[in-house]
Amino acid sequence: MKYFLLTLKKMLRYLLKPLSFLPALCMMYLIYSFSAQTGLQSSQLSLTVSEKLLTIANRSLALGLDSGQLANYVLVIHLYIRKLAHVTEYFLLAVSIALPLYVYRLRGFWLVLITGIFCVCFACLDEYHQTFISGRSPSLRDVGIDSIGIFIGIYMTRILGFIGRKTIFAPLSLKMTESYKK
């Protein structure tokens, strides 16, 4: 029974590890689908998000803004909401790529380099993709904004992975297991 469980555990590990990249593929699809929206659709989506955020803030903080003031503030924060969406999308992409690589024991400089290059190249391809969409245009500035989210995501993964390795998962590590055997 002991060997059966060990074999089952190894099989699951070899099956589940490659599947750990599925969130990254889903995130890449999500980014691609947002970029496939026309300029008007994209702008309308971010205006709707801005309006809902301000409506929630107006209610919860009791700001007492009327509809004219809300409409004015929506136009003010619209650009910031769009750029924050870029940072958030690429933050999630970087985390969903860096975490499986971290599990595969790619750490330190190489984790930053490989994940960073992959994500920045994807951001460049995403901007190039927008050249074929009506009302959209590529922007090197957007790649820079995406890169902010990418490197925040990579370093958050490194920090949380390091903390987890030293605290929560320390008893499960190979070094600790070998020291218990001696």
Side-chain angles (χ1 to χ4, degrees), residues 122-140:
F122 186 79
C124 291
L125 286 173
D126 181 47
E127 290 299 319
Y128 177 70
H129 167 246
Q130 290 181 15
T131 61
F132 303 106
I133 307 299
S134 169
R136 304 289 293 261
S137 61
S139 170
L140 193 57

Side-chain angles (χ1 to χ4, degrees), residues 12-154:
L12 283 175
R13 183 177 293 149
Y14 287 117
L15 288 174
L16 292 179
K17 262 187 162 181
L19 292 178
S20 64
F21 286 102
L22 275 179
L25 293 173
C26 291
M27 203 59 221
M28 289 165 53
Y29 175 76
L30 182 72
I31 291 170
Y32 178 81
S33 65
F34 279 138
S35 291
Q37 294 176 337
T38 65
L40 184 62
Q41 290 172 324
S42 177
S43 182
Q44 188 62 40
L45 178 63
S46 59
L47 276 171
T48 304
V49 170
S50 301
E51 184 179 321
K52 288 187 184 217
L53 283 173
L54 278 175
T55 303
I56 291 169
N58 189 30
R59 284 187 195 147
S60 61
L61 300 175
L63 298 175
L65 300 174
D66 63 6
S67 60
Q69 291 173 318
L70 277 175
N72 187 31
Y73 285 126
V74 164
L75 295 176
V76 170
I77 70 165
H78 175 248
L79 177 68
Y80 299 109
I81 295 296
R82 289 181 70 83
K83 300 311 171 188
L84 186 62
H86 274 268
V87 170
T88 305
E89 286 175 338
Y90 281 92
F91 169 83
L92 293 173
L93 177 65
V95 168
S96 65
I97 291 173
L99 196 58
L101 290 176
Y102 196 89
V103 169
Y104 276 106
R105 297 178 190 223
L106 184 66
R107 303 207 172 107
F109 172 75
W110 292 108
L111 178 72
V112 174
L113 184 70
I114 291 172
T115 306
I117 287 174
F118 181 84
C119 291
V120 170
C121 285
F122 186 79
C124 291
L125 286 173
D126 181 47
E127 290 299 319
Y128 177 70
H129 167 246
Q130 290 181 15
T131 61
F132 303 106
I133 307 299
S134 169
R136 304 289 293 261
S137 61
S139 170
L140 193 57
R141 186 174 109 188
D142 281 349
V143 174
I145 291 169
D146 298 341
S147 298
I148 292 169
I150 290 167
F151 288 103
I152 291 172
I154 293 169

